[in-house]
Amino acid sequence: MLSSPTVTLTIIAFFLTMILILWRPNGLNEAIPSSAGAILVLLSGSVTLHDLGTIGSTISSAAITIIATIVMAIILESFGFFYWAAEGLAARVRGSGIRLFWYTNLLCFLMTLFFNNDGSILITTPILLIVLDRLGLKNHEKIPYLLSGALIATASSAPIGVSNIVNLIALKIIGIDLYTNTLMMFVPATLGLLLLLFLLYLCFYRKLPRKLPTKIRSPIGPGKHPLVTKTISPLSIKNRSRFMRNVLLFVFSIRISLFIASYFGIPIEIVAVLGSSILMGWRWIALKIPPSDMLKKTPWHILVFAFGMYVIIYGLKNIGLTDWLTTVFRPVVSGDLVNASIWMGSLQSLMSIFFNNHPALMIGTLTLTNMGLDPLTLKIAYLASVIGSDMGSLLLPTGTLASLIWMHILKQNKVKIKWSDYVRITLIVIPPAVLFTLIFLAYWVRWIF
């Protein structure tokens, strides 16, 4: 039995960490409060040195995979790939605001599928801001595209576990491989995304401009982007479109390889690192840029953030939080499969809304491992938690780090969106989309198994 001071310090560490992460005074990097909170938890005694080894082995695969994915995104930015994609987006809308809406959300979905939700926000939001500005849209006309794109980009991490670091960590805890996770999750989550997109379209239909300029006011070219410190112009590369398509095909093949590796029991981080290394070599040959710049550009703080947060959550587990949640929710989760999906998805949504989805999904996953559920119920309950974490968390901007990053980028670019404007839309679209996905998930998993 842990002492009262240990319990108190662990709880204080958690709440202080969450306040600083959500507040981010003076642009504070989220790795700093998570590290400070982890140190406080370690000093309190709720986490031992032996626990640190367990935590390291649990998050290492997920963290390496996500870092390798972000490295690939940085390399593609060096190629000018995302600005090439923006030019293609502007060209394909052909003066239609309605068509721009659908293409915007397709771009956001694909970027999350190819990379991850945080990276997708970092990639697509600045690009959309450039396109919308060049098309001459006013602030209120930009909101439907930016808000729907942010919601779709963040929620799109649900169909495949590799698009979100916390999903990958949870997979490791539950013991489900990436292939099985995608088999169970891709269809329900994708249908839920389509419903979410349709509801967003209904909400924004009257606000979407019907006609847009067929020519943008000035060319979209390489410029400042939050992923990198310097963008390299690809204009010297011959057959630019063919080159970009080849790069996209390579990235797609790496993503497919992750699932193949998972099916055959090969660690997916090996494939991710190999893919990013090959792409680095490709860039070196094509643009004469040595890989050394990756040491500076890679966001290593993600490793620190993930480790620190898991230490704090592990401390909460050790002081009895997950035992209490297990006692309360085991009776409803261990019964009907549909109830298990709805209850766990709803619980995860609420915890994510108030405490952010990173710690919430870790708490929920650790709770599930203590419930002694049968394998099928455990799978459904876990996947429901992911839906709550990736989709239900979007009810408030504080639910995910990706949405916080999105709000920060908009503020930097002087695009005003009030919390009331955000919640007015999410209250309409998020609950029905989440409920539909949770119910369909239960029937889908029961059918395929």
Side-chain angles (χ1 to χ4, degrees), residues 297-308:
K297 295 176 181 177
T298 301
W300 302 107
H301 68 272
I302 289 177
L303 297 174
V304 179
F305 170 75
F307 186 81

Side-chain angles (χ1 to χ4, degrees), residues 247-267:
V247 170
L248 182 60
L249 183 62
F250 173 78
V251 173
F252 181 71
S253 67
I254 293 299
R255 298 298 273 186
I256 296 298
S257 298
L258 294 175
F259 301 101
I260 296 174
S262 177
Y263 181 78
F264 288 104
I266 301 171

Side-chain angles (χ1 to χ4, degrees), residues 131-142:
V131 172
L132 297 173
D133 183 60
R134 297 295 189 266
L135 289 172
L137 297 187
K138 298 177 181 178
N139 184 84
H140 71 277
E141 294 175 317
K142 296 176 182 179

Side-chain angles (χ1 to χ4, degrees), residues 290-317:
S292 56
D293 67 325
M294 285 296 110
L295 293 174
K296 180 180 180 181
K297 295 176 181 177
T298 301
W300 302 107
H301 68 272
I302 289 177
L303 297 174
V304 179
F305 170 75
F307 186 81
M309 284 306 304
Y310 197 75
V311 168
I312 296 170
I313 299 308
Y314 212 82
L316 292 175
K317 168 185 174 293

Side-chain angles (χ1 to χ4, degrees), residues 150-222:
L151 294 176
I152 293 299
T154 307
S156 294
S157 60
I160 58 173
V162 76
S163 292
N164 191 323
I165 186 171
V166 73
N167 291 3
L168 281 172
I169 294 173
L171 277 176
K172 178 77 172 180
I173 297 170
I174 293 292
I176 302 176
D177 61 71
L178 185 60
Y179 170 81
T180 304
N181 177 83
T182 306
L183 177 66
M184 295 185 295
M185 187 66 126
F186 189 81
V187 172
T190 301
L191 290 177
L193 275 173
L194 290 175
L195 175 59
L196 174 61
L197 181 57
F198 177 70
L199 293 173
L200 285 167
Y201 178 68
L202 292 180
C203 288
F204 289 129
Y205 178 75
R206 295 182 180 277
K207 298 179 181 179
L208 297 175
R210 295 301 183 265
K211 291 185 179 181
L212 298 172
T214 54
K215 292 184 179 180
I216 57 177
R217 292 193 298 188
S218 60
I220 299 174

